[in-house]
């Protein structure tokens, strides 16, 4: 199940998109203004954002421009603008696709599916080159070197390596590391990340595998070719 953030100030359109996307098996969240959208994209990056260009507070292109400094998750623009320059600007800012209004909800669902399939394929290929996970035995290796991870470290690496470049908040990483409702502080994540970073660095010291994003969280980074 993929998490889709719908950023749309027209309630009727947002409601229809939520219905179709949920029917297609996705989890959805809806926000109606640009500043709230930017906050959600940075605090808890979804698997994909559907981003309207014309928004109150902060327009969609400004949201995309600021978000792309911190997160690479896929974004599909929803736009009533028909000028080619607007579409090109959106793509240059990092949009993965765009859909012009009025649109068919089925077309949007199809575009979401296509973008997720394309992005997930690229991410899986990049991660596979760096990290090998044996989920049956809770074992991980990097460049052929065993990492000797704890189960919580394994869970964190498993989630983060599947989505290279995605910023995970401490709260989200805490959920991934502790699935038993343990009463622990988000700062426990810092300790796990510190140990995980040390083990990754020992196996492959030429690359900084986990990037800290001040005030937000952490991201797994594969080497750039």
């Amino acid at each position: 199940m993929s998490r889709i953030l719908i950023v749309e100030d027209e309630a009727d359109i947002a409601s229809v998109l939520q219905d179709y996307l949920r029917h297609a098996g996705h989890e959805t969240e809806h926000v109606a203004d640009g500043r709230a959208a930017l906050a959600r994209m940075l605090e808890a990056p979804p698997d994909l954002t559907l981003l309207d260009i014309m928004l109150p507070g902060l327009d969609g292109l400004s949201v995309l421009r600021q978000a792309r400094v911190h997160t690479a998750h896929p974004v599909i623009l929803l736009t009533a603008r028909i000028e080619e320059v607007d579409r090109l600007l959106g793509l240059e800012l990092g949009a993965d696709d765009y859909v012009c209004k009025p649109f068919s909800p089925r077309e949007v669902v199809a575009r979401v599916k296509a973008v997720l399939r394309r992005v997930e394929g690229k991410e899986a290929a990049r991660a596979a080159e760096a990290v090998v996970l044996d989920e049956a035995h809770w074992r991980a290796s990097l460049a052929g070197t065993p990492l000797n991870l704890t189960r919580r470290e394994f869970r964190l690496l498993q989630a983060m390596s599947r989505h290279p470049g995605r910023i995970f908040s401490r709260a989200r990483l805490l959920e991934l590391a502790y699935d038993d409702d343990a009463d622990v502080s988000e700062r426990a994540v810092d300790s796990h990340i510190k140990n995980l970073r040390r083990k990754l660095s020992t196996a492959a010291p030429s690359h900084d595998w986990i990037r800290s994003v001040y005030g937000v969280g952490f991201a797994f980074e594969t080497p750039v070719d």
Side-chain angles (χ1 to χ4, degrees):
M1 177 186 294
S2 298
R3 287 194 306 119
I4 311 297
L5 176 64
I6 300 170
V7 187
E8 172 58 65
D9 62 329
E10 296 186 46
D12 290 344
I13 293 177
S15 178
V16 169
L17 288 174
Q18 284 188 296
D19 287 344
Y20 274 80
L21 287 165
R22 287 171 179 169
H23 183 73
H26 301 292
E27 177 185 343
T28 66
E29 179 183 359
H30 170 231
V31 295
D33 69 86
R35 297 194 185 281
L38 181 60
R40 294 303 295 155
M41 292 168 76
L42 298 183
E43 292 170 2
D47 294 300
L48 183 144
T49 294
L50 288 172
L51 179 62
D52 188 23
I53 287 184
M54 302 297 292
L55 293 169
L58 192 67
D59 68 88
L61 292 179
S62 296
V63 171
L64 180 61
R65 181 183 293 108
Q66 294 183 46
R68 276 295 178 250
V69 176
H70 302 289
T71 176
H73 79 270
V75 174
I76 298 177
L77 294 178
L78 305 176
T79 175
R81 299 181 178 181
I82 60 174
E83 290 85 354
E84 182 181 22
V85 65
D86 294 315
R87 300 196 299 273
L88 292 176
L89 178 57
L91 295 173
E92 289 174 357
L93 289 174
D96 295 85
D97 201 353
Y98 65 88
V99 182
C100 292
K101 297 179 179 179
F103 51 69
S104 161
R106 290 187 178 88
E107 178 188 2
V108 176
V109 172
R111 296 286 188 96
V112 166
K113 181 179 179 180
V115 169
L116 286 174
R117 184 170 58 243
R118 182 170 69 245
V119 172
E120 289 172 359
K122 291 180 179 178
E123 290 176 346
R126 288 196 300 266
E129 294 175 358
V131 176
V132 176
L133 300 174
D134 178 358
E135 299 181 8
H137 300 95
W138 299 87
R139 296 172 183 164
S141 63
L142 175 62
T145 301
L147 294 175
N148 298 318
L149 305 180
T150 66
R151 288 204 174 190
R152 301 199 194 283
E153 292 166 0
F154 182 93
R155 287 175 176 170
L156 294 178
L157 180 60
Q158 180 185 48
M160 297 174 71
S161 65
R162 284 176 174 172
H163 301 281
R166 175 184 296 177
I167 300 170
F168 288 81
S169 67
R170 285 184 173 84
R172 178 57 179 154
L173 291 174
L174 193 63
E175 294 175 0
L176 294 168
Y178 295 85
D179 59 359
D180 52 4
D181 296 324
D183 185 16
V184 294
S185 165
E186 289 185 7
R187 288 300 171 182
V189 170
D190 290 357
S191 178
H192 294 312
I193 291 295
K194 180 181 178 181
N195 291 332
L196 182 56
R197 181 182 277 135
R198 173 176 53 79
K199 293 176 182 180
L200 290 167
S201 178
T202 299
S206 61
H207 179 67
D208 185 11
W209 294 94
I210 298 179
R211 175 169 59 96
S212 298
V213 181
Y214 181 75
V216 183
F218 303 94
F220 182 83
E221 300 287 348
T222 53
V224 177
D225 295 333

